[in-house]
Amino acid sequence: MAISFLFPNPPLTNRHKSTLPAAYSGTCGAKKRAACIVCARSQDDYHATLKALNSKGRFPRKSLGQHYMLNSEINDQLVGAANIQEGDLVLEIGPGTGSLTNVLINAGATVLAIEKDPHMVGLVTERFASTERFKVLQENFVKCHIRSHMLSLLESRESSNANAAYAKVVANIPFNISTDVIKQLLPMGDIFSEVVLLLQEETAMRLVKPSLRTSEYRPINIFVNFYSEPAYKFKVPRTSFFPQPNVDAAIVKFKLKQATDYPSVASTKSFFSMVNSAFNGKRKMLRKSLQHLCTSLVIEKALGDVGLPPTSRPEELTLDDFVRLHNLIVEVA
């Protein structure tokens, strides 16, 4: 996973070398050689990625969540999960050294990459200088105007009779921005047909298979299912990354819904405002946490009309329950 944060270029001191894989530091004893094999089966991705990092003096720091994908098989499976076809337009977030980018381009895609780290921008610009099917923008993804970027590209493809009315997202993203990325991308079903992301496995499981009546059930579950159909694809062992994180990862594919397929609510803004209010008082009954919207008696009646007890709490409601409750409350408010 290519994590793009800007940090100084530290010299490869002995202290640094002792924590790097042998292919990076230039030494590999028997035990270290075994560890190299576990990390990645592909010599190309393993050595090429480390060589690329070294060429820019880049030392990944775990404290900043910097982990690079070294296993080309995972990149192949990631591209396969997105069903990339010749002519597809793909958004990649944080290309890093370009190992996933390379697989996408070889599959026939045109790639727009968003990269925060100027050193990695320079690296991938050099690496893919010979192809016209790659463009990289130096921006912080969570702050960039991705809609305008994508609309511009889609419109230019239409004028040139290029393939695909919708783009796709395929990315190994930093775990610490996964929620921000998901919130930004999933409501964009008018631009993207699907979003395939590498996430922390625990997060992936929580998003795809939320359990009612548990502390893991949160507003993000309502959000994800409102805008998409999520599917857990496969697990990615932590040994596939450098440096190795403390958790495993997983690939999740979000098939985005079109606006006509969204649950019918009078206002998405008021709907999610109600959902967030409900979970802000998670231990409270809804007739208490939603009192700012209408009286407890009105909420109790609405819950009854939905087929729920008046003592219901937010973690007991499905997406459909929230939609019907919202519409009843808005109707009488």
Side-chain angles (χ1 to χ4, degrees):
M1 178 173 64
I3 308 302
S4 53
F5 289 91
L6 176 62
F7 59 94
N9 298 329
L12 295 182
T13 62
N14 290 332
R15 178 175 60 85
H16 288 147
K17 289 181 181 179
S18 67
T19 61
L20 291 170
Y24 200 88
S25 62
T27 60
C28 190
K31 291 183 179 180
K32 290 183 179 180
R33 189 175 298 112
C36 294
I37 295 171
V38 170
C39 281
R41 296 179 184 178
S42 166
Q43 292 298 305
D44 177 69
D45 269 22
Y46 182 77
H47 291 292
T49 297
L50 296 179
K51 183 178 179 181
L53 290 173
N54 195 29
S55 72
K56 296 294 181 180
R58 311 305 286 164
F59 182 81
R61 296 179 179 178
K62 287 187 178 182
S63 62
L64 297 179
Q66 294 165 333
H67 304 277
Y68 291 82
M69 172 60 66
L70 299 179
N71 191 334
S72 65
E73 290 184 6
I74 300 300
N75 286 330
D76 290 339
Q77 291 176 317
L78 184 56
V79 172
N83 191 31
I84 298 300
Q85 303 291 321
E86 184 77 31
D88 280 348
L89 175 60
V90 175
L91 170 68
E92 183 183 5
I93 304 163
T97 63
S99 59
L100 174 59
T101 314
N102 191 53
V103 179
L104 288 166
I105 292 174
N106 287 340
T110 295
V111 179
L112 171 65
I114 306 295
E115 175 61 69
K116 183 180 179 181
D117 187 340
H119 296 273
M120 295 297 102
V121 169
L123 192 153
V124 292
T125 298
E126 293 172 12
R127 179 171 182 177
F128 302 108
S130 62
T131 179
E132 295 181 352
R133 292 191 287 112
F134 176 75
K135 180 179 181 180
V136 60
L137 300 176
Q138 184 185 324
E139 294 190 46
N140 181 341
F141 180 78
V142 297
K143 295 181 180 179
C144 77
H145 299 289
I146 194 60
R147 176 176 289 277
S148 62
H149 291 317
M150 297 307 301
L151 283 175
S152 176
L153 285 174
L154 287 170
E155 288 170 1
S156 65
R157 288 165 68 83
E158 287 178 4
S159 63
S160 63
N161 296 318
N163 188 17
Y166 298 96
K168 297 178 179 179
V169 180
V170 184
N172 299 337
I173 61 173
F175 294 158
N176 62 344
I177 65 167
S178 59
T179 299
D180 291 331
V181 170
I182 287 168
K183 286 183 176 180
Q184 188 167 348
L185 292 176
L186 296 198
M188 299 175 68
D190 59 322
I191 293 177
F192 301 109
S193 59
E194 52 201 67
V195 174
V196 181
L197 301 175
L198 186 147
L199 305 169
Q200 183 176 334
E201 187 188 28
E202 181 182 345
T203 300
M205 294 296 292
R206 188 167 62 240
L207 291 178
V208 177
K209 301 177 181 179
S211 298
L212 291 173
R213 300 178 180 83
T214 69
S215 60
E216 300 302 314
Y217 190 63
R218 302 172 184 176
I220 190 65
N221 298 117
I222 305 299
F223 182 91
V224 165
N225 286 281
F226 188 99
Y227 288 113
S228 74
E229 296 174 4
Y232 182 102
K233 303 306 290 184
F234 57 89
K235 180 178 179 178
V236 178
R238 63 193 72 182
T239 52
S240 298
F241 301 95
F242 165 64
Q244 181 175 309
N246 296 323
V247 294
D248 294 320
I251 300 299
V252 175
K253 179 176 180 177
F254 302 90
K255 182 179 178 181
L256 302 197
K257 297 178 183 178
Q258 297 295 301
T260 53
D261 298 322
Y262 296 160
S264 180
V265 294
S267 163
T268 54
K269 182 177 180 180
S270 66
F271 173 72
F272 286 111
S273 176
M274 185 198 77
V275 170
N276 289 330
S277 294
F279 280 90
N280 282 339
K282 193 167 184 179
R283 295 185 179 181
K284 294 182 180 179
M285 289 178 275
L286 292 168
R287 64 187 182 189
K288 296 290 186 182
S289 58
L290 299 180
Q291 274 187 325
H292 64 290
L293 296 177
C294 51
T295 67
S296 295
L297 289 176
V298 170
I299 296 170
E300 287 180 7
K301 183 180 185 305
L303 286 168
D305 291 341
V306 173
L308 296 169
T311 56
S312 294
R313 290 179 168 80
E315 66 269 21
E316 299 171 345
L317 275 66
T318 64
L319 168 61
D320 288 341
D321 291 335
F322 272 115
V323 168
R324 288 184 290 165
L325 179 63
H326 170 265
N327 290 345
L328 286 170
I329 291 177
V330 168
E331 188 176 283
V332 299

